[in-house]
Every structure is written in C-alpha cells, then in structure tokens.
Amino acid sequence: MRRISLTQYLVEQQRSGGHMPPQLRLLIEVVARACKRIAINVNKGALGDVLGSADSENVQGEVQKKLDIIANEVLIEANEWGGHLAAMASEEMDSIHVVPNRFPQGEYLLMFDPLDGSSNIDVNVSIGTIFSVLRKVTNTRGVSEEDFLQPGKQQAAAGYCVYGPQTTLVLTVGDGVVMFTLDREMGSWVMTESAVKIPADTKEFAINMSNQRHWAAPVRRYIDECLAGSTGPREKDFNMRWVASMVADVHRILTRGGVFLYPWDAREPAKAGKLRLMYEANPMAYLVEQAGGMATDGRRRILDIPPGKLHERVAVVLGSKNEVQRVTQYHLDDAS
C-alpha cells in the first residue's frame, strides 16, 4: 500500500474539484499537529505530572483533569494565530474564544472536546480529542456565539484523534472517512484506512448498563431484546462493550461495526441527554454517516437538530444502520 501522508491526502483533496479550500486544509493540519502534542503529554502520564484533577470545574460543573486543561490550551495556542479561524469553542470553556485582533481572522469556526473520556485518563484507557469545523456564515468582522449555532449537516469537516496503543486520527471532509496512524519515529500521520464503512448489521452494542433502571421504555425494550439473545425475538446473540470514552466506543464501531447508545434517562429528566451536541454528537454523527452508518437522538437525525445554545446536550444513538433504525423506530412507536 502506498504510504500517503495527511498533508498529501489534503493536497489531493484540494486539487480534485476544489473540495478543500486552502484555509480548511491549513486548519486540519494545525489541529492534527496539536493532537500530536496532546499525544505526547498523554503518553508521558505520571512521568509528566499530568495525571489527576486540577481542582477546578468546567462550564458543566464537571471536575476538570489536568490533561483537560493542557489539551484545551494546546488547541487554542496552535490555532489562534494562523489566519484560518474566526473563533473557537470548547467543552471546557464557558464562552467562545475569538481570535485576538493582533492575528488575521479567517472564515472558519472550530469546536472541540479537547480530551474526551477524562474519567479514563488516570487508568491508562483510550481517550481522545474530538473536533468539528463550521464555516462562518456572516461576512461581518465580528463573531458571536450565534455564528456557532448551525445544524451539524453544515459542518465543513469533523474528526477525532484517539490516544490508545496507536495514536489514530479519523477524519471526514465530506468525502468519506479516512484514518491516519501517527508514526511516532517519523512524527508524521500516515493513512492506514481509506473509505471506512460501517456494516449495516451488527451483534455488538455499547451502553452503560448501570443506568438501566432510569431508561425510557424504548431503550429498555431494545436492550432487553439484545440480552435475550438467540432465544429472544432477535434470534441472535449480542456482545456488550462499554469503554466510557465516546472516542474509543465510536472508533470500535467505525472499525468493525456496532451500535452506541447514550440515551435520555430519568436521573435528570429536564436534560435531553448527557453528550454535547456541538462538541461530541455532531462531529461523531458526521463521521458515522460518512461511513454509511446512522445517528439519531432516538427520534431525529442528529445532523438536522438546530442548536439553541453552545453547550446543548442531546441523546445519542449511532452506528450500524439497521440497529439505529430499530432503536429509533421503537422511540417513534412509543411516542405515537
């Protein structure tokens, strides 16, 4: 297999029909470079004094880990000066970060979850960075939170980097899904998978079973059928997986299929879900759809949801198409 670098892939995208504007290419390369720096910090672990909590909370009231803050700062510092961005938004920041006036302002908006799966940092389980790119739709110099409130179907690019046994960058620019593995000796991203496809059928589901008593009836129905296995209505045995890092769970689905559920539950009934629409659900839904899968909130296509605020939460069902359709249909049947 010809070893194609990330830069070569992006340049070829730029040449083929002009799908890749130069600013977007630069933005993706800078994000990938920032992910390399985060990977180095993650790999050092206890040797780099980056484990443990930082004695602070993010905008959602969650305790921040030291690596959350480090990763957030790495992404901001890498991206603010290049001239390709107007502003950034992060799961770890209360409001948007506008590119300072001393730097040129570009036409793109970058959103990210700097370190997904924070609960796994200290126990050496795969974690990752998720990112989403939007075009700034207004032509005015100023930028506000309103500019970010676009449905996910308007994303110009999305991806994640998973820090595990290998460091892998997964990317879509609206032309399928590609995977790059970090060659640590050379310091370069090398394409290792192209045209990633999620099988339509699966025997693997991912959900946090400890919340079972709080689920809505359609979710209970679906999981009960999976657990009943070959003796139940589905007439086949399922395996359950749950890493508690969305990046790791979605990476498994993109690699071999499966369905991932993080549904609404009765613990906080006023909240639509746990995961963030802008930083987690939208970029992952874009990747999954580009790989032939499906992503809904149980009723609606995630990429069609108009966001009302920057840190909006949403229920998520994504992965192999036939399973997501089944879960979604159970929700629609229950509502009718």
Side-chain angles (χ1 to χ4, degrees), residues 6 21 53 81 91 94 99 104 117 142 153 162 179 189 257 282 312 327:
L6 174 64
S53 298
W81 57 271
E91 185 178 311
D94 194 2
V99 169
K153 62 187 175 187
V162 58
M179 294 186 181
W189 295 103
N282 272 341
E312 186 168 331
V327 178

Side-chain angles (χ1 to χ4, degrees), residues 10 22 33 65 75 115 148 155 165 193 198 205 217 223 242 259 275 306-307:
L10 294 174
R33 199 155 58 238
K65 301 284 189 176
L75 282 158
L115 214 57
F148 284 84
Q155 290 172 103
E193 292 286 339
I198 299 172
F205 67 95
I223 299 300
W242 183 251
V259 61
L275 298 174

